[in-house]
Amino acid sequence: MRELGKRLQTIVDYVKPDQRVADVGCDHAYVSMELAEKKNCTVIAMDINEGPLSVAKENIYGQRLEKKIETRQSDGLKELAAGEADAIVIAGMGGHLIADILKDGAEKLRPGMQLVLSPHSDLRLVRYTLRKQSIFIDHETCLTDAGKWYFVLNCSVGLKLPGEVPDEEAKANMMYGTWLPAHPTQEFWDYLNWEAKGLEELVASLAKQKTPAARARRGSLEKQLQENLRLQETMGAFRKE
């Protein structure tokens, strides 16, 4: 039995059934196999590294899923042909890399295509990149898995061409998005509380440093802390006694 964990299971749950899916950064292909078995998807399991891809092949053949899952060595979306997938999953990597993959592979995206993303870092950059490329976050989940916080974004490609979205519009709501503040959960409240404590410690530490870089960093973190606390205030109903 495969134990996906909450993060990978959330990714699988978001993907619509009966689709052609490109699983970018597939690692050992656990998500690919689950999509093939439980969602009746055909999958192209893609990874830049030969080592994980070899393990993925073994796992796929071990489950006799080779007719539903193809493995392909690829740097991002470079080896995916336009029109070859209905949905794209990108998870298990930093937000900078996800943003680069989406920008470099923009010609592989088409209106209505589903994207399921789970960046390990730089979520603000991912949100900015999505908006610039007219990709909309339809639903977002905040969760903990194995003691770490994760976000999973269920997105759809819009009609505008990349670059048509003004920069000011793309920068709006970069920090926390619009879905979770409008649809608050206990998990999101807990994340904000955890983040605020970390930000307060960083601000206090930077206050002891007198360099221009430290002052600039402190100012940025203070703005983030203010936005965090503002959100917590609006979500007071989730406050634990």
Side-chain angles (χ1 to χ4, degrees):
M1 292 290 292
R2 288 187 298 274
E3 293 292 337
L4 293 185
K6 289 172 63 178
R7 180 179 65 93
L8 295 184
Q9 187 59 58
T10 300
I11 291 169
V12 170
D13 290 343
Y14 269 143
V15 176
K16 299 173 185 176
D18 307 312
Q19 294 195 98
R20 300 170 299 162
V21 181
D23 183 7
V24 181
C26 67
D27 197 38
H28 295 169
Y30 294 142
V31 167
S32 296
M33 291 188 291
E34 199 76 6
L35 290 174
E37 289 182 332
K38 303 294 177 59
K39 292 296 189 78
N40 193 38
C41 293
T42 57
V43 185
I44 302 172
M46 310 169 75
D47 204 286
I48 191 173
N49 296 310
E50 186 176 349
L53 208 57
S54 296
V55 176
K57 289 179 182 178
E58 293 178 5
N59 290 336
I60 292 164
Y61 276 86
Q63 296 297 311
R64 299 180 179 179
L65 291 170
E66 63 272 15
K67 291 184 178 180
K68 298 194 71 172
I69 306 174
E70 172 192 344
T71 58
R72 188 179 299 178
Q73 191 167 4
S74 177
D75 181 359
L77 297 172
K78 289 181 179 178
E79 302 304 320
L80 181 72
E84 199 173 12
D86 306 308
I88 296 173
V89 172
I90 312 178
M93 62 190 76
H96 271 278
L97 184 52
I98 289 179
D100 287 343
I101 289 172
L102 293 174
K103 288 185 286 187
D104 293 342
E107 74 280 1
K108 311 295 175 67
L109 309 180
R110 56 182 177 78
M113 174 180 276
Q114 182 184 24
L115 304 180
V116 180
L117 313 173
S118 183
H120 281 354
S121 61
D122 302 300
L123 191 53
R124 282 181 288 179
L125 175 63
V126 172
R127 289 198 180 103
Y128 169 80
T129 301
L130 292 175
R131 195 67 195 91
K132 284 295 286 185
Q133 292 193 249
S134 190
I135 299 170
F136 299 93
I137 300 173
D138 300 321
H139 199 286
E140 187 171 346
T141 297
C142 173
L143 58 89
T144 54
D145 191 1
K148 295 182 179 180
W149 285 103
Y150 295 100
F151 290 79
V152 182
L153 285 59
N154 183 23
C155 313
S156 58
V157 180
L159 297 176
K160 288 184 178 180
L161 293 173
E164 289 186 350
V165 177
D167 205 54
E168 183 178 345
E169 180 182 338
K171 288 181 178 178
N173 304 305
M174 282 173 56
M175 194 168 295
Y176 299 107
T178 58
W179 174 268
L180 286 168
H183 305 82
T185 63
Q186 182 66 56
E187 290 80 6
F188 185 49
W189 160 260
D190 291 341
Y191 168 79
L192 290 173
N193 190 261
W194 169 84
E195 183 190 58
K197 291 176 181 177
L199 289 172
E200 288 169 350
E201 291 177 1
L202 283 172
V203 168
S205 176
L206 288 168
K208 300 174 184 179
Q209 303 177 33
K210 306 303 180 183
T211 65
R215 286 195 294 271
R217 177 66 172 153
R218 179 187 173 191
S220 175
L221 292 176
E222 285 177 337
K223 288 180 180 179
Q224 185 174 349
L225 179 59
Q226 289 171 4
E227 179 64 13
N228 177 301
L229 295 176
R230 185 192 67 79
L231 266 181
Q232 287 195 56
E233 184 67 25
T234 65
M235 294 171 61
F238 289 91
R239 189 185 302 274
K240 290 182 177 179
E241 299 296 333

